[in-house]
Amino acid sequence: MLEYNINLEGKTVLVTGAAGFIGANLVKRLFQDVNNIRVVGIDSITDYYDVRIKRERLAEIAALNRDWTFVEDSIANREAVDSIFSLYKPAVVVNLAAQAGVRYSITNPDAYIESNLIGFYNILEACRHHLPKQGEQGGVEHLVYASSSSVYGSNKKVPYSTEDKVDNPVSLYAATKKSNELMAHAYSKLYNIPSTGLRFFTVYGPAGRPDMAYFGFTNKLVKGDTIQIFNYGNCKRDFTYVDDIVEGVVRIMQHAPEKQNGEDGLPIPPYKVYNIGNNSPENLLDFVTILQEELVRAGVLPADYDFEAHKQLVPMQPGDVPVTYADTTQLEKDFGFKPSTSLRDGLRRFAEWYKKYQK
């Protein structure tokens, strides 16, 4: 296992996308675990999905009454990003701000270029200009950023390993995430910025994104609408519970890839990429069965609900892939951690949260 080389106590951490699903849970976890930490969040609160959920997440963070600063702006705004780095001087930057969603990237590509490419470029440039200086305190010690399992595209080899080639994206969203990894590698090489990319696999849980299947299915079933199951149910997803994702992020934040020089005397990029997934893909039809059982158990739906009448098997959607499956060997080796929350346990917690959310 790797030894931690960053102590978060007394440090300032910047979390972009802080009103988002993973971002908000990460901020709460940092305040729970770390003494004397300052967290600065930025989020543009777009209306890609119901902003009330985002506001509620921010309210929960504010209620903790810790050293928390929130900036409502976009990372695509260079001035806003530069101002945050100059004012707060973060030691660790966790970039979770991004336009998410495979299908939305087909209908609204501009949002992906703005947030995922221009926004990430702004973060890289700010890190470059705020690196630790010789003999001085402060500066960015580690950049951690969200990538996605989507980068694996239609790779046939499973489970997906970070050693695999990922040169065949099947959506613009996937292409932007692969671009993030390439950009981070270039900046790590040129400016010796320690950076770690995290390929997340189908993150779910309470107060998650309403555009995700489990949340969208639930909303439709409650209304009595029909849910569509793509590829006639022959899809598999490596569903990863949000607490497992956050656990992985917090551990990885505390170890920046080591700076070292190669035989030519030039820096070897201090750069790593990890998968964070459950290493246990579930068939979509099994997933829907577990979801409906837990919705009945939580009282979200009545026991006599006719699920068969509200299910429709349809062909694969453009940009989708038939399977996602994470090889987490490197994560286990380096950090002694492997996501382990079962799909039933995770969906049970979601269903119980949804029952309260309905009110």
Side-chain angles (χ1 to χ4, degrees):
M1 272 176 52
L2 296 174
E3 289 187 10
Y4 290 158
N5 54 17
I6 292 177
N7 182 359
L8 296 175
E9 288 197 13
K11 299 283 178 65
T12 296
V13 173
L14 170 62
V15 178
T16 76
F21 180 33
I22 300 172
N25 278 283
L26 173 62
V27 172
K28 289 191 288 186
R29 174 66 187 275
L30 289 173
F31 282 139
Q32 173 188 311
D33 283 9
V34 186
N35 295 322
N36 193 28
I37 190 172
R38 179 182 207 175
V39 182
V40 179
I42 180 172
D43 199 299
S44 56
I45 321 260
T46 67
D47 61 0
Y48 170 62
Y49 62 82
D50 191 347
V51 298
R52 289 175 297 179
I53 293 179
K54 300 180 183 183
R55 296 288 182 198
E56 182 61 31
R57 293 175 187 142
L58 291 173
E60 288 179 5
I61 295 170
L64 298 175
N65 200 27
R66 296 288 297 275
D67 194 348
W68 162 244
T69 301
F70 178 69
V71 177
E72 185 169 338
D73 213 322
S74 170
I75 59 168
N77 179 350
R78 179 72 174 270
E79 288 184 2
V81 171
D82 289 346
S83 173
I84 287 172
F85 276 75
S86 297
L87 277 173
Y88 302 110
K89 299 178 171 48
V92 178
V93 178
V94 185
N95 186 67
L96 300 173
Q99 179 56 60
V102 168
R103 295 184 194 112
Y104 191 63
S105 69
I106 295 170
T107 58
N108 194 4
D110 288 4
Y112 292 77
I113 301 303
E114 181 177 305
S115 180
N116 301 10
L117 295 185
I118 297 172
F120 190 58
Y121 162 73
N122 289 341
I123 294 294
L124 288 170
E125 274 290 292
C127 289
R128 168 194 171 189
H129 291 293
H130 292 84
L131 289 172
K133 292 185 173 62
Q134 195 81 34
E136 293 183 20
Q137 293 288 317
V140 175
E141 300 172 36
H142 193 192
L143 166 63
V144 180
Y145 63 93
S147 185
S148 167
S149 63
S150 296
V151 301
Y152 290 106
S154 53
N155 280 16
K156 297 291 189 288
K157 174 185 160 289
V158 291
Y160 295 153
S161 165
T162 52
E163 303 299 317
D164 298 340
K165 280 191 174 297
V166 286
D167 297 331
N168 301 292
V170 296
S171 69
L172 178 64
Y173 170 65
T176 63
K177 286 303 185 180
K178 173 59 179 172
S179 298
N180 286 173
E181 294 180 7
L182 294 170
M183 292 161 73
H185 186 278
Y187 271 70
S188 289
K189 174 66 176 174
L190 289 168
Y191 308 112
N192 225 13
I193 301 171
S195 70
T196 306
L198 307 177
R199 294 174 179 170
F200 297 143
F201 282 69
T202 316
V203 189
Y204 75 102
R209 280 173 32 209
D211 64 311
M212 296 293 283
Y214 70 100
F215 205 141
F217 284 176
T218 302
N219 284 340
K220 286 187 174 181
L221 292 170
V222 166
K223 293 176 186 172
D225 295 339
T226 300
I227 61 172
Q228 293 186 325
I229 302 173
F230 295 108
N231 202 29
Y232 306 104
N234 297 316
C235 283
K236 287 191 171 184
R237 290 289 178 270
D238 208 346
F239 295 98
T240 316
Y241 190 65
V242 65
D243 288 359
D244 285 338
I245 292 286
V246 169
E247 176 68 31
V249 174
V250 170
R251 292 187 187 213
I252 287 165
M253 287 170 67
Q254 296 173 83
H255 180 87
E258 304 283 355
K259 295 181 179 181
Q260 51 188 320
N261 291 334
E263 293 177 0
D264 57 3
L266 296 174
I268 298 171
Y271 170 90
K272 289 286 287 185
V273 174
Y274 293 96
N275 288 331
I276 306 187
N278 217 41
N279 191 232
S280 178
E282 304 273 358
N283 184 280
L284 266 187
L285 288 175
D286 295 337
F287 156 79
V288 170
T289 298
I290 295 171
L291 176 63
Q292 65 193 39
E293 289 171 355
E294 293 305 324
L295 292 174
V296 169
R297 180 185 177 277
V300 174
L301 295 172
D304 61 352
Y305 194 93
D306 186 355
F307 288 98
E308 292 306 314
H310 294 88
K311 282 196 299 197
Q312 181 185 10
L313 303 181
V314 297
M316 183 82 90
Q317 286 272 95
D320 259 356
V321 294
V323 63
T324 63
Y325 184 179
D327 180 343
T328 55
T329 305
Q330 201 61 46
L331 182 69
E332 294 173 59
K333 177 171 173 265
D334 288 355
F335 293 96
F337 173 66
K338 175 183 177 181
S340 59
T341 303
S342 72
L343 185 58
R344 184 170 293 280
D345 285 347
L347 287 177
R348 178 166 295 181
R349 291 172 206 167
F350 166 73
E352 290 169 350
W353 169 83
Y354 193 93
K355 180 65 177 175
K356 298 172 187 171
Y357 168 73
Q358 274 184 303
K359 298 175 183 177

